[in-house]
C-alpha cells in the first residue's frame, strides 16, 4: 500500500525503479464496512489511522517522482468500485492524466506486458473502456464505465453486459 513513505523511501523507489501501487480505496472500504458493522472496531481504528498517513505518503511519492501503477486490493472492498481510486489519486496531487496513465501504460510496464496491453495501437490486445465525457475534466467519470472491450470483443455496451462469445 505504501502506507508510510518518507524521503528515504522515495529515494529507494527511484534508485531501484520500483513502482508504488497506491490502493487507497482499501482503507476507505475497511472504514465504510466498519461503520456498517461488518468489521471489528479495531480494524476500523487502524484503517482510519493509516488512511491519514497513506495520503501524505502518496502525496510525497507523487511529488518525488516515484513511478506509480494503478492497482487494487480487491479482497478488501467489493469488486467493481476500483474506479474510485482515480479520485483518491487526484486528491493526493496526481493529475487525472497521470492517474489514467498509471492504469494503462504504467501498469502494463510494471506487469511486463507493454507489448500487448496498455495503449491503443495496431497489434495490441484492444482492451478498451469508454465513459461519458472527458475523464481529464472529471476523473470520477471513470467510476461509471459504459463500454468494455477485451481483446477486441465487446463485453459491455451502453451500460448493459453483452453475452460472451467464444473465440
Amino acid at each position: 500500500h505504501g502506507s508510510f513513505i518518507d524521503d528515504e523511501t522515495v529515494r529507494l523507489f527511484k534508485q531501484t525503479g520500483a513502482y508504488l501501487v497506491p490502493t487507497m480505496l482499501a482503507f476507505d472500504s475497511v472504514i465504510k464496512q466498519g461503520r456498517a458493522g461488518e468489521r471489528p472496531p479495531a480494524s476500523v481504528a487502524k484503517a482510519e489511522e493509516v488512511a491519514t498517513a497513506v495520503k501524505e505518503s502518496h502525496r510525497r511519492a507523487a511529488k518525488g517522482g516515484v513511478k506509480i501503477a494503478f492497482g487494487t486490493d480487491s479482497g478488501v472492498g467489493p469488486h467493481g468500485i476500483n474506479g474510485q481510486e482515480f479520485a483518491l489519486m487526484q486528491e493526493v496531487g496526481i493529475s487525472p492524466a497521470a492517474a489514467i496513465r498509471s492504469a494503462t501504460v504504467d501498469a502494463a510496464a510494471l506487469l511486463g506486458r507493454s507489448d500487448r496491453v496498455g495503449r491503443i495501437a495496431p497489434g495490441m490486445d484492444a482492451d478498451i473502456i469508454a465513459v461519458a465525457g472527458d475523464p481529464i475534466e472529471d476523473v470520477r467519470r471513470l467510476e461509471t464505465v459504459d463500454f468494455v472491450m477485451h481483446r477486441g470483443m465487446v463485453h459491455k455496451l451502453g451500460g448493459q453486459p453483452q453475452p460472451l462469445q467464444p473465440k
Side-chain angles (χ1 to χ4, degrees), residues 59-156:
R59 187 174 286 110
R60 179 177 289 113
K63 187 175 180 181
V66 169
K67 293 192 292 186
I68 295 174
F70 192 93
T72 175
D73 192 344
S74 62
V76 177
H79 290 278
I81 66 166
N82 56 318
Q84 295 173 19
E85 187 79 25
F86 290 107
L88 295 170
M89 293 172 85
Q90 186 175 13
E91 285 178 23
V92 300
I94 299 169
S95 72
I100 292 167
R101 183 181 171 90
S102 80
T104 55
V105 176
D106 297 336
L110 172 60
L111 296 171
R113 300 284 323 276
S114 295
D115 62 328
R116 302 295 319 153
V117 299
R119 57 193 174 89
I120 300 171
M124 302 297 275
D125 278 355
D127 292 344
I128 302 167
I129 66 158
V131 298
D134 184 353
I136 300 295
E137 290 179 14
D138 181 2
V139 76
R140 289 197 176 271
R141 288 184 171 140
L142 293 167
E143 296 174 17
T144 306
V145 175
D146 297 311
F147 174 87
V148 176
M149 178 183 283
H150 176 61
R151 292 189 175 164
M153 185 185 319
V154 175
H155 290 273
K156 183 178 180 183

Side-chain angles (χ1 to χ4, degrees), residues 44-64:
V44 178
K46 181 178 179 185
E48 288 174 335
E49 177 185 336
V50 176
T52 302
V54 80
K55 288 181 180 177
E56 184 52 42
S57 290
H58 295 166
R59 187 174 286 110
R60 179 177 289 113
K63 187 175 180 181

